[in-house]
Amino acid sequence: MPSISKENYIKAVYSLCQNDAHSVSTSALATKLNITNAATSDMAKGLSKQGFIKYEKYKGVSLTPKGEKTAIEIIRKHRLWELFLMKSLELGWEEVHSEAEHLEHQTTEFLMNKIDDFLGNPKFDPHGEPIPQKDGTIPNMEAQISLNKSQVGKEYLVKRVNDESKEVMDYFTEIGLNLNSKIKIKNFLKYDNSTIIELNDNVHSFSEKIGKRIFISQLNE
Amino acid sequence: MPSISKENYIKAVYSLCQNDAHSVSTSALATKLNITNAATSDMAKGLSKQGFIKYEKYKGVSLTPKGEKTAIEIIRKHRLWELFLMKSLELGWEEVHSEAEHLEHQTTEFLMNKIDDFLGNPKFDPHGEPIPQKDGTIPNMEAQISLNKSQVGKEYLVKRVNDESKEVMDYFTEIGLNLNSKIKIKNFLKYDNSTIIELNDNVHSFSEKIGKRIFISQLNE
DNA sequence: TTGTAAAGTTAAGCATACTTAAACTTGAAT
DNA sequence: ATTCAAGTTTAAGTATGCTTAACTTTACAA
Ligand SMILES: [Mn+2]
Ligand SMILES: [Mn+2]
Ligand SMILES: [Mn+2]
Ligand SMILES: [Mn+2]
């Protein structure tokens, strides 16, 4: 039962440990959480004392099993809320993330399980992210690569997108890029590592930064 | 955009001013909010400086127009959440209050209006309380009296109940007392001011304290 | 009118979650 | 090995939202 700040901290440790190694620097956390380095170090002590994280000075932070369980519970709430808001209120996939970011901290297990059952115990959220199940297990995603790692000339299906920027999600919606959209890789620009694709007979380009946040799987002919 | 503590304070001022006069004592607030007198006085200074309440030492607290607007917005969120959870997830009327108590502080105007529209802009919540509308107006309730003020021998319809105690709401559910249940007043016990009623061919009694929290209207024959 | 109990406020202190500024590690280049 | 910049931590301070303990005001009964 950590505070909202602590829940967000734990969630940040979890997601930053996904990509990189098995630990995060305090400064990476500071950037993600939009607080100072000093605050991040400070917080690390508290969470460490409470057994949520492992923290050695100058060595970064990682989650204990207790911390990981907590992170997964919060992420479950986040993703179920997103799906629920879309299914029950017809919000757009670009609108649900910011609402879920708040609701995730104010939802009882009881309510969450009601929502889970209402949705039929779904495995994926509206952005293609797996929804941690009641028992804590996380559904497997089929093999995916980021747009940057794709091959020119091949066709792919969009399987997952990072939803953190509403601005970017709005743009996806505007150009008609959705989950399971079919895209064809036209080219990579050496100049800035952007990717040129074809989508619904239109040509679009994505910066390297955005390309890293679109995940695709190869279309089997 | 007050904090959660401040929102709860403002809401408490609003609801305690409804019954009594046009101001509340700091100690009444302390009881309601389950914090000390000292904290309540302290908080009053802050909210007063921010223009939500009028506060004169030793004279109690009342809402300014700005404070009242804020209170009504929170109450709107609370009651819409309650209805929404019942309608969309089939929670019981005894289960929704405590969930709404938290969700009310984490809901954007945007989401609230979506929920309001989904529900068809309802006028009353599951316990018979009026739901403040988008424009801030509060629907009128038809004339009601509390169970204590009823007349022996007459028949009434249950029109509104106070939902603050889950324990009591569970009991209502158990005996089949709902909104629009028909009851007949059998007797008042002088001994403890409890009320004896007939409901669905069964006889029940309610303490004075509970009787004050059940609101009824006379059944016109 | 005054004494006193109850009601209410102020003072001092604590925990949380932050800030800025200063001090310290670390590691990689010389 | 030495240096030094980047990364990280500590120290000191602030605002919020509480607590307990001491003090002040009020009301009203004698
Ligand atoms: Mn999300
Ligand atoms: Mn969050
Ligand atoms: Mn309620
Ligand atoms: Mn509340």
Side-chain angles (χ1 to χ4, degrees), chain A residues 78 82 97 127 163:
Chain A
H78 180 101
E82 288 186 345
H97 176 78
H127 315 98
D163 65 353

Side-chain angles (χ1 to χ4, degrees), chain A residues 42-195:
Chain A
D42 208 53
M43 199 80 160
K45 288 181 203 158
L47 284 168
S48 171
K49 205 179 310 163
Q50 291 174 78
F52 291 102
I53 65 171
K54 193 167 147 267
Y55 172 51
E56 277 183 282
K57 293 199 299 188
Y58 300 103
K59 297 288 180 59
V61 162
S62 61
L63 291 178
T64 61
K66 175 181 173 184
E68 189 169 332
K69 181 162 176 276
T70 304
I72 288 170
E73 278 163 13
I74 303 163
I75 289 167
R76 169 172 159 82
K77 289 178 185 177
H78 180 101
R79 294 180 183 167
L80 281 171
W81 267 118
E82 288 186 345
L83 232 207
F84 180 63
L85 294 180
M86 281 193 71
K87 287 273 174 77
S88 65
L89 294 171
E90 299 184 298
L91 299 208
W93 78 333
E94 74 285 354
E95 294 171 324
V96 294
H97 176 78
S98 62
E99 303 291 343
E101 203 60 59
H102 299 289
L103 295 170
E104 65 187 358
H105 308 293
Q106 299 294 343
T107 315
T108 59
E109 278 293 298
F110 170 78
L111 216 207
M112 217 61 257
N113 290 336
K114 289 282 180 178
I115 289 177
D116 190 25
D117 291 343
F118 170 86
L119 294 168
N121 314 110
K123 294 212 156 50
F124 296 94
D125 86 1
H127 315 98
E129 303 283 358
I131 297 173
Q133 304 294 293
K134 214 174 291 197
D135 63 8
T137 60
I138 299 173
N140 286 325
M141 292 181 289
E142 62 181 301
Q144 295 170 357
I145 56 173
S146 71
L147 187 61
N148 304 53
K149 305 261 174 63
S150 60
Q151 288 175 10
V152 172
K154 294 215 164 148
E155 290 187 316
Y156 297 87
L157 291 180
V158 174
K159 285 298 175 186
R160 181 164 52 99
V161 300
N162 181 294
D163 65 353
E164 273 166 44
S165 163
K166 169 118 180 353
E167 216 182 5
V168 171
M169 292 298 297
D170 277 337
Y171 179 66
F172 290 166
T173 303
E174 193 185 326
I175 65 175
L177 182 121
N178 297 304
L179 243 46
N180 291 312
S181 283
K182 190 171 87 178
I183 62 173
K184 182 172 182 179
I185 314 300
K186 305 273 284 183
N187 197 13
F188 289 105
L189 301 191
K190 287 227 180 67
Y191 179 66
D192 66 345
N193 291 315
S194 59
T195 311

Side-chain angles (χ1 to χ4, degrees), chain B residues 26-27 41 45 55:
Chain B
T26 49
S27 52
S41 283
K45 287 180 204 159
Y55 172 52

